[in-house]
Amino acid sequence: MVHGLWSIRIEMGQTRSITTKNERTVVHMSTKRTGSVLVLGAGIAGIQASLDLAESGYYVHLVESSPAIGGVMPALDKTFPTNDCSMCILSPKLVDCGRHLNINVMTTSELIDLEGEPGNYKAKVKTRARYVDPAKCTGCGSCTEECPVKVDDDFNQGLSKRKAIYKQYAQAYPNAYAIDKNKCLKFKNAKACGKCLKACQAEAINHEMEDEINELEVGAVILMPGFDAYDASKLDYYGYGKVPNVITSLEFERILSASGPFGGHLIRPSDEKEPKKIAWIQCVGSRNCKNDHGYCSSVCCMYSIKEAVIAKEHSEHDLDTAIFYMDMRTYGKEFEKYYNRAQEEQGVRFVRNRVYELTEGEDGSVKIRYALEDGSIQYEEFDMVVLSVGLEPKGEAVELAKKLGIELNQYNFCEAKPLTGINTNKEGIYVAGAFSGPRDIPETVMQASAAAGEAQALLSEAKGTLTKAKEYPAETDVAGEIIRTGVFVCHCGINIAGVVDVPNVVDYAKELPGVVLSTNKIYACSQDSSGQIKEAIKEHNLNRVVVASCSPRTHEPMFQETLKEAGLNPHLFELTNIRDQCSWVHMDEPEKATEKAKDLVKMAVNKVALAKPVQPVKLDMNHDVLVIGGGVSGMTNALNLAEQGYQVNLVEKEQQLGGIARRLHYGLKGEDVQGYLNQLINQIEQNNNIKVYTGQEIADVNGFVGNFTTTLTDGQQIEHGVTVIATGSQEYQPQEYLYGENHRVKTLLELETEIADGQLDKVNNVVLIQCVGSRDSERPYCSRICCTKSIKTALKIKERRPEAKVYILYRDIRTYGFYEDLYTEARQKGVIFIRYSEDNKPVVENVEDGLRVTVTDHVLGEPVEIYTDEIGLASAIVPPVENNQKLSKFYKVPLNEDKFFLEAHLKLRPVDFSTEGVFMCGLSHGPKNLEENISQAKAAAGRAATVLAKDQITVEGKSAVVDKKKCSACGTCEQICPAKAIKVDEEEQAAVVNEALCKGCGACSSSCRCGAINVKGCTDEQIMAMLSAL
Amino acid sequence: MAINAAKFDPTFTEEVTNKVKKFDLTKCLTCGMCTAGCVYSDVHPDNDPRKFLRKIALGMRDEVLNDPFVWFCTMCERCTVECPMGINIAVLTRTIRGQFGLPLPGFMQKVVDETITSGNQMDVSQEDYKDTLDWIEEDLQEELEDPNFKIPIDVENADFHFGMNAREIKYYPHELTEIIKIFYHAGVSYTLSSKKWDATNLALFSGNNHDFWKITKPILDETVRLKSKELVVTECGHAFKSVRMGYKEFWKGPEFPVRSVLELYADWIKDGRLVVDKSVNSKPTTLHDPCNLVRKEGVYEAHRYVMENICEDFRDMAPNKKYNYCCGAGGGALAMPEFKEQRVKKGKRKAEQIDAVGAEVVAIPCHNCMDQFMDINKEFYGMKKDMTHVSPLLSEALVVEECARNKGKKKEESEE
Amino acid sequence: MAYEPKIVAFLCNWCSYAGADLAGIGRLQYPTNLRVVRIPCSGRINPLFIFSALRNGADGILTSG
C-alpha cells in the first residue's frame, strides 16, 4: 500500500519534470496550456489563491456557491492567537479580490463538470439566478426594508432574522442583494407581493432571471470549498436544541461579534441574560469513532480558548469560564503561550474530562457532572454551555469530488497525496484549506498560496497570456488649485453611528476650511461607496479627500485605490480613525465621542489641505531568486520557482543537500523519506534553472526587493530580486533524563536511525518521553510534530517486533487532524500511553536492575516502574539562534521570542515578511512536519511569484527629502538612519536619500539641525497643521 | 507501592479483547466520560469504570480479576452508552465475571444451576406451575363471568407465545392474573407453554455463555414447537434482554420477533383494542426505565405511551429513557447479598430521582428492579410509596365494556 | 465641571497606533480627551511638534513608539 502510493508520487514527479521542460517530449499535453485557473470556493483560501495567481500573471475564475465571497471568516469574531478582528483583517482582501481586474468572481455558482487534461480543462459552471443584478444593485437595502418575509439568518446561525431578499453580511462582496427563492412570496404566487420591485430605484430586481451555464477554459483547478460544522444535535446527550442555553461555538462567535445579533453584548440567546459562568465542551463531533468522526478537528482547542478569553473581556463582571477537554491541542505557532496566558493570567479553567451529558438546571442553567482525573466526581452549573463543534467536509464538495474522480479519504476529506501538501490524485487539480483536512486559517492560507504556486509551475508557459492590465485615468494636476476637500463620514453600520452623532460630524465638517462636500456613508468601505466617492470627486471637482471611518492600517490602501481610479494622486487623501480610536473606546460617552470625532476630522482636513501628490519610484527588478537552506523546504521552494521559469540560487551550509530530512526514515503516513529525498535532490541537480552552492553561508547582504546583492562566505556575490529563508531548525540536545550519561537514552531521531538499522529488532521495552525541552519555561512552545512522531516510532517498533512493550509518556497527545488515527492505531496495537503532568515528570534512574523509569499512571494514580532497554526522548525543535539572528539583521526581518522567524501576520501572511521581497518556509518559521514544510515551501514560491512576476519594483515614494540649500552635510542623518538610506554626498556637500531603501520613518528629519529634511506625505507643516486643530 | 510494569500482561488484554469481539477496548482514550456517566461512581469506592478498563488495557490480570468493581458494576451500560470509542463496560464486566473462572459471589451460581435443572429460576415444580394456572383460571372464570374461560396452554399457531418470570408464578400470581385479564379483554390469540415458561436467565449476569444458552435456548425452541408468530416477554428487563441476546447471538433456528409485552400493550391502546380511563390512576406517578429493556434493547416509548394513557398525573423522571439511572441492583446484585450495602447506597440516588419528580406511585416494568425498589421503599420511604408493575395499573384503567373482546361480544349479542 | 486636561499623543503607525486600534477591537474604554497624531515612526517626532502642541492648548503630551 505504502509502496503503491510512493510509486504514484514518483510517476507524477517524472511526468511533471518532463512536461515543464517544454523543449522535451510532451507526454500528455496535446495543446498549449491555458493561462487561467478555476478556483472553487471563495473563503479565505480561495481569495488568497486567487490574489496570488492574479498578481502573478494568471486569470482566475473564482467560483463560489453562496451569494458573497468571504467564506467562514466574516462570521467569526476574533481570530487566535492575535485576537485580531476577523472581519477587519479579511475585509481589505475581500476588496482587493473583488475589485481585481484578473479575478472573475462568480457567486451563486458551482462547478458541475470538468473535462480535459492538466493544462487544458473545460469547466462547466452553473450560475444560479440570484434575481438581483449585481451590476445594477447599489446595496442600498431599500428592498430588504420592504420585504415582508422573515427568515432565519444563516449568517447569524439562526440567532436573528433576515428577509427573503438579503445580503449575506454587511461588508459582503459583491455588495448586492439576492433573493431566497424558497422564501420569496412572489415565487409562490406571481401576483403576490412585489414590494421589493417597487422599492428598488436601480431596477436591479428581476424575478424572471434564469440559471446560466458557462463553459470556461482553464489550465488548472484548485478545490477549496471549505467545511461544514458538525451538526451538534446528532449528539443527543449534549441536548443541543433541547436544553436551553446549550449553543454551538459558531453561534457564540456571532454572539461575541459586534456585527452579530446582539451587537457584541455577551448574553445568552434564550432569555438575553448576561451569563456569569460559561463552559466549553471540546470534541463535539471530533475524536469520536462511534460516529465515524475519528479524526481531530485541529482548531477547536484554540478557538475555545480564544472564545473564553474574549468572553471574559466582553463581560462586565468577573466571568467564570471552564473548558472541558481531553488533550489540549495548542500545537501551532504562538498557541502554547496563548494557552498559558489564558490559564495563568486570564484565569480560564481547564478541566480534563470528556463531558458525559448536559442537563437542564434551575433558571436556564446547564448542569454538568464531571469526573476529575483521580475519578472523583464534581457537580457544577453553568449559565451557558458552548459546544466546540468539529469540522467535516461539505456534502456538495464530496459529491463533486466523486464525480470528478478525485480520491477522498475514509472521512470524505480530500486528503492531499503524501508529501505534496496540496496535490490530489489528478494532476492539475489541487486542494487546499479545510477540504483537505481540518485546519486553521494560517495553514489554510499557506496551502492556498502553495496551490497557487503549484498551478503556476504547471502553467508557467502560459503566464500573462490571459491577464488584463489596469489602466488608471491620467492623474489630474492639482498644483496651484484651490483646495476642494470632500469629507466622507462612515457609520460603519452601528459601529460608529451607534456612539458618534454622525450627522452632527458631517455638518461640522461642512464648515471647515477648504471643505466643499461633507456627507455620510453607511459603510464607506463598500463597493458602492467607493463608486459614490469617485462620482463625488468628479461632480464636486474635489482635489482632496478625507474619510472618517476606521484604521488607516487596514483601509487606507483601499481608499487610495479609489482616488487613483478617479484620477487623483492617492496621497491627496487622509483617513481618520473615528471607530477603533473613538466610538469603540468611548461607548458610554456619545457626546464627548462626537466632539472627539469632530476634532479628528478637523485635524485630517487641516493635514490633507497641505498634502501634495507623491509619485511612486520605479526601479529595475532582478528576477532571480536566492533560497537559503538546502533542506526539503528550500529544495521544494527552489524547484517550484525554477519550474515557474525563474533562475534560482540555492545555498546550503552543509556539503550536501537534504538538511535534517537526511536523518528521517519513516514519513508520518509511511512514506519512504530517503527515497523521496534522493529523488528531490536529483530533480534539483537536473534542473537547469537551479544553481546550487553547498558549504556556503551568507556573509553579507546589500540592497532591497528586486535588487539584492548577497555575498557568500567564499566571497561569491549573488544578485537576486527575491530571498527565501529556509534555513531549518535543529534537534534539541537534552539536558534531562540521563541523556548523554546513559547510552541507552537517545533522541527520537537517533532512535529512528537505530530502528532503520535493525538495532531495535530484539528490544523488549522502550519508553518514549514527550515534551523534552518543549512547553517549559525556557522554551514555552510546542514542537508540534513530536507526538505524531513518537507514535509513528512506536508503531514502527511494534511492526518490527510486535512483542515489544512500548510506552509513551506524554502531557497532551497532540495528534491533530488525521494523525489522530495513528494514535488510535497505536493504542490498538498495544502501545501504552501514560500521561504525566509538568510538576510530576517521569524519573529516569540507573538502578541495579538496569535503566528504570518511574511515572505516575494518570488513571490509577499510582507510580509505575518500567525497567527499559531503550529510552527515546521527543526532544524539542530548536532554531539555530545565532544563524537566525544573523539573517534577521541582514535581511531586516524579525524573529519571535523563541528565535524563529516572525512572519508579517500570523494569520493571513504566514510566509511573508513585512520586509518586501523576503519570504520564509519550513522549520525556520517554526516546528512543522515534512508534509507541512513542503506545503509551506510551495506557498513561499506562490508568494514569491507575485513579486517576481512584476517587471519593475514600485516603491511608494513617501521618503525623506533633503533641501540641499539648508543642508550642512554634518552627517547626523547618515549616522541615525536605521535603513542605511541616506548618505552625505561629498561632492555635492549635501545628504542624498536612496528612495528605494528609505522607509520614511523621519528619524533623519527630527534630528536634522538645519531643518533641511522633510518627509513626503507627512511633512512637518502637515503635522503642525493637525496640531493647530486642537 | 509502585506497580511494576513488567507485570503488565498484553496477553490478558488480548484475551479479553478476543472474547468481547464486538468492540476494541484498547481504543480507550481514558477520557473519563464513563466515570462521569456512571451515576454510581461516587456513591461507594471501587466503582470507577475508567479505572477498571484501564487495568484491563494495561494487562493487569490479577488486579482485574480481584477488582470488586467486577461485582459492584450493575452492568447497566449507562457509562458507555455513548462511549466515543464504542466500548461497552457492561460487556467487559460480564466477560470478566464469567469467562475467567471466577467463583461467583452470593447465590448467583445456585440460581443458574437450579434454572438449568428445573427450567425456572424459582425452582417451581411443574405441578405447582399447573396448580397456579388452574387457580388463576378458576378465579378469572368467576371474575370475568365467563365459565368457558381457559388459559391457553400449548396452543399451536397463536399470535404469540408468552414467556414470563418465574416470580409471577411463585410470588405474584395476582399480577399474572392481571396480565391474563388484559390479554382476555384485548381479545388476542396467545399461548403459554407447559414445558418452558420462565424467560429469565441469571447467566446473563454470571457471564457464563454455556450456562446462558442452556437456559434460554429451550424457550426459543418452545416458540417454534408451538408455531407461535412471535415470542413476547413479560415486563421483566433481564428476561427480555436474555431472550433477545440469546436470539441475536446464538439462535440458529427460524426467525421470529421477540417483543416486550409493553410494546403490545402500547399497540393495543393505539389500535383501540384496549380502551382505558386514566382517571382511575390519579396519584402522581412516575416510571422507571429498566436498563435491560430500555437502554440495552431500545424500548424507549412503549411503556411511556402506556403510562401516559393510564395515569392522570404521569411525570417522567429526569433523566429518562436512554439516560435513566439504573435501579442500583442491576447485574444480578440481588443474588449477591454480601454487597447489599453498596446496592442500598446506589438506591439512594434512585430515590432522589423519585423525590425530584414528586411521585407517589412508581411503575417499574421489571421484576429485578422491583425488588430493589421495594428495598428503596423500605430504606428511604418507610414503605410509603406505591411500587408497582405496569400491568396492574393498566388492568385497573381498563374500560372493559369498551375493549375489543367485549365489544365483539356485545355486537354478537345484539346480532342475536 | 472638573478639570479635564487635553492630551496629545504621537503614536507610531506600526506599534502604538496599532495598539490603540487593538484597544478599540478589545473595546477597552478610556477617557475621550486624547487626540492622536499618527506618525510613521517615533523617530519622526520633532521637538518642534511638542512645543507646537503645547502652544495649541495641549496640557500633556504622550509619545509612544
Side-chain angles (χ1 to χ4, degrees), chain A residues 78 83 85 258 313 495 551-553 556 577 580-581 584-589 592-593 596 599 603 1000-1003 1005-1006 1014-1015 1018-1020 1023-1024 1026-1028 1030, chain C residues 4 6 8 10-11 13-14 17-18 20-32 34-41 43-49 52-53 56 58:
Chain A
K78 304 292 184 298
N83 287 357
C85 156
E313 286 178 7
N495 279 299
S551 177
R553 296 175 58 254
E556 194 175 52
N577 190 346
D580 309 43
Q581 299 189 11
W584 278 354
V585 290
H586 311 308
M587 294 171 115
D588 305 324
E589 297 173 282
K592 286 183 174 178
K596 179 173 175 180
D599 277 5
M603 287 160 79
C1001 75
S1005 169
S1006 348
N1014 216 332
V1015 181
C1018 181
T1019 61
D1020 291 355
I1023 292 174
M1024 299 294 226
M1026 287 175 88
L1027 295 171
S1028 72
L1030 289 173
Chain C
E4 286 202 31
K6 204 167 209 177
V8 171
F10 293 97
L11 302 185
N13 180 55
W14 307 102
Y17 192 87
D21 281 352
L22 207 59
I25 290 166
R27 307 295 189 277
L28 303 178
Q29 303 296 302
Y30 56 81
T32 55
L34 178 80
R35 301 292 176 265
V36 172
V37 177
R38 182 172 69 112
I39 45 172
C41 170
R44 181 75 190 85
I45 303 168
N46 194 317
L48 214 59
F49 302 162
S52 172
N56 280 300

Side-chain angles (χ1 to χ4, degrees), chain A residues 659-701:
Chain A
I660 206 152
R662 284 194 286 133
R663 298 177 67 189
L664 303 178
H665 298 271
Y666 310 113
L668 297 179
K669 291 177 189 162
E671 311 89 333
D672 166 14
V673 177
Q674 289 308 305
Y676 169 79
L677 189 61
N678 290 334
Q679 189 239 354
L680 185 61
I681 293 172
N682 194 38
Q683 278 180 284
I684 293 283
E685 285 168 352
Q686 300 293 310
N687 196 306
N688 297 330
N689 288 349
I690 302 175
K691 190 170 179 197
V692 179
Y693 304 75
T694 48
Q696 295 296 321
E697 291 186 57
I698 308 301
D700 195 19
V701 179

Side-chain angles (χ1 to χ4, degrees), chain B residues 134 136-151 184 405 409 413:
Chain B
D134 285 348
I136 292 174
E137 194 172 86
E138 277 170 34
D139 254 20
L140 279 175
Q141 282 171 354
E142 201 172 309
E143 191 188 333
L144 299 168
E145 297 171 12
D146 181 354
N148 298 324
F149 171 75
K150 283 264 177 258
I151 295 177
Y184 175 83
R405 179 182 181 96
K409 214 192 275 168
E413 277 166 11

Side-chain angles (χ1 to χ4, degrees), chain A residues 29-71:
Chain A
M29 311 266 169
S30 47
T31 50
K32 264 188 86 116
R33 277 165 251 183
T34 311
S36 65
V37 177
L38 188 144
V39 173
L40 183 76
I44 182 61
I47 290 171
Q48 182 66 46
S50 299
L51 286 170
D52 287 345
L53 285 162
E55 286 291 311
S56 304
Y58 301 88
Y59 194 79
V60 177
H61 301 280
L62 176 57
V63 177
E64 163 63 35
S65 62
S66 79
I69 62 171

Side-chain angles (χ1 to χ4, degrees), chain A residues 596-875:
Chain A
K596 179 173 175 180
K598 286 180 185 173
D599 277 5
L600 291 172
V601 169
K602 187 177 178 192
M603 287 160 79
V605 166
N606 283 7
K607 186 182 178 196
V608 85
L610 298 175
K612 285 180 186 152
V614 177
Q615 296 306 336
V617 179
K618 296 202 174 196
L619 296 158
D620 283 344
M621 167 89 196
N622 180 318
H623 291 89
D624 291 358
V625 182
L626 173 70
V627 178
I628 309 171
V632 167
S633 300
M635 287 194 287
T636 305
N637 180 269
L639 197 62
N640 181 292
L641 287 169
E643 284 175 359
Q644 291 196 42
Y646 300 107
Q647 295 295 317
V648 183
N649 300 284
L650 179 60
V651 177
E652 166 58 41
K653 71 171 189 288
E654 301 291 332
Q655 292 302 328
Q656 61 188 119
L657 294 171
I660 206 152
R662 284 194 286 133
R663 298 177 67 189
L664 303 178
H665 298 271
Y666 310 113
L668 297 179
K669 291 177 189 162
E671 311 89 333
D672 166 14
V673 177
Q674 289 308 305
Y676 169 79
L677 189 61
N678 290 334
Q679 189 239 354
L680 185 61
I681 293 172
N682 194 38
Q683 278 180 284
I684 293 283
E685 285 168 352
Q686 300 293 310
N687 196 306
N688 297 330
N689 288 349
I690 302 175
K691 190 170 179 197
V692 179
Y693 304 75
T694 48
Q696 295 296 321
E697 291 186 57
I698 308 301
D700 195 19
V701 179
N702 271 304
F704 47 90
V705 58
N707 295 282
F708 285 110
T709 306
T710 295
T711 312
L712 303 183
T713 37
D714 69 353
Q716 289 188 75
Q717 288 199 329
I718 301 170
E719 311 251 302
H720 55 104
V722 157
T723 309
V724 179
I725 296 176
T727 44
S729 280
Q730 300 159 339
E731 188 183 37
Y732 164 67
Q733 293 299 298
Q735 312 287 313
E736 47 272 83
Y737 300 126
L738 300 185
Y739 183 80
E741 291 171 45
N742 187 316
H743 68 282
R744 290 190 283 163
V745 182
K746 304 178 176 89
T747 66
L748 273 190
L749 283 182
E750 290 163 356
L751 203 65
E752 182 166 351
T753 305
E754 294 195 357
I755 296 169
D757 293 347
Q759 290 178 44
L760 258 58
D761 287 358
K762 292 208 170 113
V763 76
N764 290 318
N765 290 284
V766 183
V767 177
L768 305 178
I769 304 176
Q770 300 306 108
C771 297
V772 179
S774 304
R775 300 181 65 192
D776 58 18
S777 51
E778 201 180 328
R779 273 172 297 275
Y781 60 88
C782 166
S783 289
R784 183 180 176 119
I785 64 172
C786 336
C787 281
T788 311
K789 185 79 197 163
S790 288
I791 287 171
K792 193 72 204 171
T793 304
L795 283 168
K796 204 76 208 171
I797 295 167
K798 281 280 189 187
E799 179 191 314
R800 297 179 70 131
R801 184 164 168 84
E803 57 270 46
K805 282 190 193 170
V806 186
Y807 301 84
I808 295 183
L809 315 184
Y810 69 100
R811 286 173 57 195
D812 291 275
I813 287 291
R814 294 184 167 176
T815 44
Y816 52 92
F818 307 124
Y819 298 122
E820 182 71 8
D821 289 344
L822 286 177
Y823 177 33
T824 308
E825 185 190 342
R827 297 196 305 278
Q828 291 183 281
K829 295 257 164 77
V831 176
I832 292 172
F833 290 84
I834 302 178
R835 177 162 53 242
Y836 71 87
S837 59
E838 203 192 356
D839 54 11
N840 188 14
K841 287 186 176 173
V843 176
V844 178
E845 296 160 294
N846 284 313
V847 292
E848 220 169 284
D849 301 331
L851 185 57
R852 186 177 72 190
V853 184
T854 310
V855 62
T856 302
D857 183 80
H858 59 290
V859 177
L860 301 177
E862 290 172 56
V864 177
E865 289 177 352
I866 310 163
Y867 291 86
T868 187
D869 308 318
E870 295 278 343
I871 294 178
L873 303 180
S875 63

